[in-house]
Amino acid sequence: AQSVAQPEDQVNVAEGNPLTVKCTYSVSGNPYLFWYVQYPNRGLQFLLKYITGDNLVKGSYGFEAEFNKSQTSFHLKKPSALVSDSALYFCAVRDREANTGFQKLVFGTGTRLLVSP
Amino acid sequence: DAGVIQSPRHEVTEMGQEVTLRCKPISGHNSLFWYRQTMMRGLELLIYFNNNVPIDDSGMPEDRFSAKMPNASFSTLKIQPSEPRDSAVYFCASRPPRGGDGNQPQHFGDGTRLSIL
């Protein structure tokens, strides 16, 4: 079964510093990976995805993610954190049923990012 | 563009009562997902539909939960009878038909916060 792991429950970073939120994956076949962000009292919002091609994927709000096949990782990054980036971040992997082709996402447990002024 | 619309945003009811949560997906989207989010269990997929047909309901916790999608623009999640352990935030998400790279992101509503007393 496809799965992702987010090893950190919380990440703390000072505003202006670079941030990294970690995600590792376990899949059979090619990985299709996603990052979502959840602000308080809101639903999840799509940030970016990796399907194929360049290992560095750029997304919304200045975020990017680096796909590393040898380390089975897909870490989310931003060069300079903002206080407004404080939120809950979810990594997800596509799970596709071989017989029907139907697709769903398997989400990680989430990482809370706190950016201090 | 209107996003995924969920109602009510908040629901407080007593144990044993029937609860109905509603979702209007984005027009043109053909997949719909119901999730439950709690602190203890994180984000759980309950059921998903493709072209109004339930595809996978293995995440539905028990027979007290049921979901329907009578047409492409409306879905309900019903709990009868409700129990305090059903208290959670319930999210609906929709996804457009496969296109481009075949991996369209899901679009989430802002959820229904359910409290069962």
Side-chain angles (χ1 to χ4, degrees):
Chain A
Q2 321 289 61
S3 67
V4 289
Q6 295 182 244
E8 303 155 315
D9 289 337
Q10 183 164 309
V11 170
N12 297 305
V13 65
E15 187 173 35
N17 284 357
L19 69 88
T20 298
V21 182
K22 295 181 180 177
C23 173
T24 58
Y25 64 88
S26 175
V27 301
S28 55
N30 294 321
Y32 298 92
L33 299 159
F34 300 75
W35 275 102
Y36 283 77
V37 60
Q38 184 181 26
Y39 298 102
N41 300 314
R42 300 297 303 276
L44 280 68
Q45 296 178 33
F46 170 72
L47 277 178
L48 51 81
K49 65 181 178 182
Y50 171 82
I51 306 302
T52 186
D54 287 341
N55 289 341
L56 188 64
V57 179
K58 293 190 183 295
S60 306
Y61 311 124
F63 283 92
E64 56 191 26
E66 186 172 10
F67 173 73
N68 188 315
K69 187 173 182 178
S70 63
Q71 297 186 5
T72 62
S73 67
F74 188 55
H75 300 334
L76 183 69
K77 301 183 178 187
K78 188 173 182 181
S80 179
L82 299 172
V83 172
S84 57
D85 292 330
S86 298
L88 189 57
Y89 290 81
F90 288 93
C91 181
V93 63
R94 189 195 77 172
D95 187 6
R96 181 176 181 271
E97 295 180 23
N99 293 335
T100 63
F102 291 118
Q103 301 176 29
K104 61 184 181 183
L105 291 178
V106 177
F107 286 90
T109 51
T111 298
R112 187 164 301 280
L113 173 67
L114 288 178
V115 182
S116 55
Chain B
D1 273 347
V4 175
I5 299 172
Q6 292 187 244
S7 64
R9 288 297 315 275
H10 299 90
E11 175 89 10
V12 180
T13 192
E14 291 188 347
M15 172 180 172
Q17 297 298 306
E18 177 178 292
V19 174
T20 299
L21 310 181
R22 298 173 175 79
C23 175
K24 178 179 170 55
I26 293 173
S27 178
H29 287 196
N30 68 338
S31 295
L32 184 139
F33 305 81
W34 281 101
Y35 293 88
R36 178 172 68 176
Q37 186 178 36
T38 61
M39 290 291 292
M40 292 298 295
R41 300 173 70 94
L43 192 64
E44 304 172 274
L45 176 64
L46 301 177
I47 185 171
Y48 76 96
F49 295 84
N50 185 263
N51 292 326
N52 312 337
V53 176
I55 300 302
D56 182 354
D57 65 354
S58 60
M60 296 285 263
E62 42 195 281
D63 292 346
R64 298 183 297 105
F65 285 70
S66 62
K68 293 183 179 179
M69 192 163 187
N71 56 62
S73 58
F74 184 64
S75 178
T76 58
L77 179 68
K78 187 172 293 187
I79 309 173
Q80 167 63 17
S82 58
E83 297 183 3
R85 60 194 168 117
D86 302 331
S87 298
V89 182
Y90 290 80
F91 289 103
C92 174
S94 68
R95 187 181 67 201
R98 213 178 293 184
D101 61 19
N103 293 279
Q104 302 301 321
Q106 296 179 20
H107 299 251
F108 283 73
D110 284 335
T112 295
R113 184 173 297 274
L114 178 63
S115 297
I116 308 297
L117 306 177

